[in-house]
């Protein structure tokens, strides 16, 4: 275990900068939301963030989170986000609704729903909080990885346009048996990932990146042609806007593994690190698989 | 890594037995819900499941899940459950509402809300599914532990009546510095846990047990008097009613650790195992802490 330990700084309330987006980047253009009032927003499913059979889950996740981020009643920054994928999101208009179910002194509880053509595409919840600087400690271990620049990027597949929005560099556990001559008997993936083109890190891009790991069944069983799709995704954000501003648009290191495959569902537990060794998100999911 | 690998059985749809409860047990008596129609239920916060400053989170979690389990439109069994704790649940009447946001052929997406005195106490979502027998594999490692009978049970504290409903036997990482002469510099807990009195395992008791780990800050910093409370809890169920019936009312082995403590929030990732070595739940949470 490699750990860092920090003494508490001055316990002053963190300054929460307003949520800012760089309009020119594909992620910002494609997740643009038009406020309709009363917590509802209109958006559009993106061809660029398309996956096999509908939008990439990370895109849906970003839309759900963004509705709460843009809501005029928002307090603080995201701590936890859960998105349940109920059905495919097709090309075309979508709506997203965000409701603050309860606002406390320093925490706020959100419920979100993404819909298209009158059907619910995703349900989501989030907890936002105003954080204070205090004692911090990283217990998890920074994954072993050669530098980003020394690893070859993966070419996106034709059926998975969303991958074109990322520079993904696999150190361990790709989804292709051909690309992995020494197949280990586990589902562990370690990869560098960065928005393509690079984009300053914020909660929207981080939420999206948290769903960018291939389904664990693809890694564990590359010998066959499995099907896998995320059903429920939870992310715990261990980062604030100040840390993200300091990180900028550099690459992130992701590591993911399954704990259990059973009867059509498997889980995944993953971590997102900065190259400086800061664990900025822990993200967990359960996925449907067919083999 | 210890792993088990099973070949797929006949891919027949699993038989889903109706949800049954043993009315005599405190957990069943105290989580009793009276249907009010339209997905609403009336219940009562339990003194027996009381924690410092309100109901034990596992109790709130059980109430939220039970509303979906009891709903006449329920399909299949729980795969994923997320509960966000928005405020304390005091003694007295509560209401819980469950809504099926979308029902597909084999999956169903639920939104739940627990309220008291007109205020939201918890928001929750769940995914239910009809599972099929297929290839299964456990990648995580069964924790090292001496047998249940050889470990001393922990006496419940006066301020934490909920603990009296559990037989908890710590192998590693209790919350008390006095009970832990060789304090390791981490937050790992391994413990046996069983309902007290014993009760056949079902989704309600399993959801409750998933919140029975002490806040990680108590384990990591037993030298000081910290405060910790779960804010968001997600559980992935890797078990069906058939497996639970075979398990009966025996003890479960739980292991939990934090990945990151930062600025007032820390996460926890945990696993619940049967003594037979079946990983039946992966459960993750983020908690507020003050030191």
């Amino acid at each position: 275990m490699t750990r860092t330990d920090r003494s508490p700084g001055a316990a002053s309330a963190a300054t929460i900068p307003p949520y800012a987006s760089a309009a020119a980047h594909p992620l910002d253009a494609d997740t643009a939301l038009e406020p309709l009032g009363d917590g509802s927003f209109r958006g559009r499913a993106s061809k660029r963030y398309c996956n096999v059979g509908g939008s990439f889950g990370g895109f849906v996740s970003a839309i759900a989170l963004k509705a709460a981020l843009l809501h005029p009643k928002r307090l603080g920054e995201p701590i936890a986000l859960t998105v349940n994928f109920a059905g495919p999101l097709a090309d075309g208009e979508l709506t997203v609704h965000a409701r603050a179910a309860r606002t406390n002194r320093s925490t706020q509880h959100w419920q979100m729903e993404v819909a298209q053509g009158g059907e619910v595409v995703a349900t989501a919840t989030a907890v936002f909080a105003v954080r204070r600087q205090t004692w911090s400690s990283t217990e998890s271990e920074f994954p072993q990885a050669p530098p980003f620049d020394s690893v070859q990027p993966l070419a996106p597949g034709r059926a998975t346009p969303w991958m074109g929005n990322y520079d993904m560099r696999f150190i361990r556990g790709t989804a292709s048996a051909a690309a992995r001559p020494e197949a280990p008997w586990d589902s562990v993936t370690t990869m560098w990932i960065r928005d393509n083109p690079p984009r300053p890190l914020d909660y929207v891009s981080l939420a999206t990146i948290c769903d960018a790991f291939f389904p664990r069944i693809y890694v564990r069983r590359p010998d066959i042609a499995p099907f896998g799709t995320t059903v429920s995704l939870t992310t715990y954000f261990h980062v604030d806007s100040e840390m993200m501003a300091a990180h900028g648009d550099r690459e992130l290191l992701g590591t993911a593994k399954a704990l259990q495959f059973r009867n059509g569902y498997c889980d995944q537990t993953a971590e997102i690190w900065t190259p400086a060794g800061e664990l900025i998100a822990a993200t967990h999911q359960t996925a449907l698989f067919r083999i």
Side-chain angles (χ1 to χ4, degrees), chain A:
Chain A
M1 282 219 179
T2 307
R3 278 175 307 199
T4 59
D5 217 341
R6 273 197 311 171
S7 292
S12 63
T15 309
I16 308 299
Y19 175 68
S21 66
H25 193 276
L27 182 62
D28 299 290
D30 293 7
T31 62
L33 292 178
E34 177 197 349
L36 303 174
D38 202 28
S40 289
F41 298 84
R42 181 161 38 213
R44 225 184 152 72
S46 158
K47 278 191 200 299
R48 273 189 291 212
Y49 285 88
C50 196
N51 199 357
V52 182
S55 288
F56 158 52
F59 176 82
V60 180
S61 198
I63 292 282
L65 181 62
K66 205 165 170 177
L69 284 165
L70 293 173
H71 198 289
K73 289 195 183 152
R74 172 173 72 93
L75 173 81
E77 301 195 322
I79 294 294
L81 171 69
T82 293
V83 184
N84 295 337
F85 302 97
L89 181 66
D91 277 0
E93 199 175 292
L94 63 89
T95 56
V96 52
H97 181 78
R99 177 177 90 96
R102 180 159 170 167
T103 301
N104 297 315
R105 201 176 48 85
S106 70
T107 59
Q108 194 174 45
H109 289 259
W110 289 91
Q111 287 170 309
M112 291 91 81
E113 200 169 280
V114 182
Q116 189 175 53
E119 265 209 302
V120 173
V121 169
T123 67
T125 62
V127 182
F128 280 54
V130 178
R131 304 182 90 149
R132 286 170 178 274
Q133 285 218 336
T134 180
W135 175 80
S136 295
S137 174
T138 303
E139 268 194 40
S140 200
E141 200 176 344
F142 185 67
Q144 291 290 330
F148 176 77
D149 288 336
S150 70
V151 186
Q152 274 296 104
L154 189 75
R158 271 191 303 178
T160 53
W162 72 271
M163 286 178 59
N165 303 299
Y166 296 97
D167 183 338
M168 295 164 86
R169 304 183 180 205
F170 284 81
I171 296 139
R172 182 177 170 186
T174 70
S176 153
R180 202 181 64 176
E182 292 169 52
W185 197 50
D186 68 26
S187 68
V188 177
T189 285
T190 304
M191 67 176 185
W192 289 110
I193 183 165
R194 190 170 69 177
D195 280 302
N196 176 32
R199 174 186 179 281
L201 185 67
D202 66 5
Y203 290 109
V204 170
S205 58
L206 185 52
T208 309
I209 283 169
C210 283
D211 198 32
F213 295 99
F214 295 135
R216 292 302 90 198
I217 192 73
Y218 293 6
V219 181
R220 183 66 161 72
R221 300 291 304 258
D223 51 312
I224 48 171
F227 169 79
T229 187
T230 306
V231 168
S232 182
L233 171 69
T234 288
T235 298
Y236 303 131
F237 297 102
H238 293 302
V239 66
D240 58 27
S241 289
E242 227 167 291
M243 283 174 69
M244 290 195 284
H247 171 78
D249 63 5
R250 280 177 302 155
E251 66 278 12
L252 295 168
L253 186 63
T255 184
K257 65 178 176 188
L259 304 176
Q260 176 70 49
F261 298 82
R262 183 169 289 134
N263 293 341
Y265 289 86
C266 74
D267 62 8
Q268 173 186 287
T269 177
E271 299 168 8
I272 308 287
W273 297 78
T274 67
E278 294 160 316
L279 177 54
I280 58 167
T283 179
H284 311 284
Q285 62 171 265
T286 191
L288 169 72
F289 73 87
R290 281 196 285 268
I291 61 172

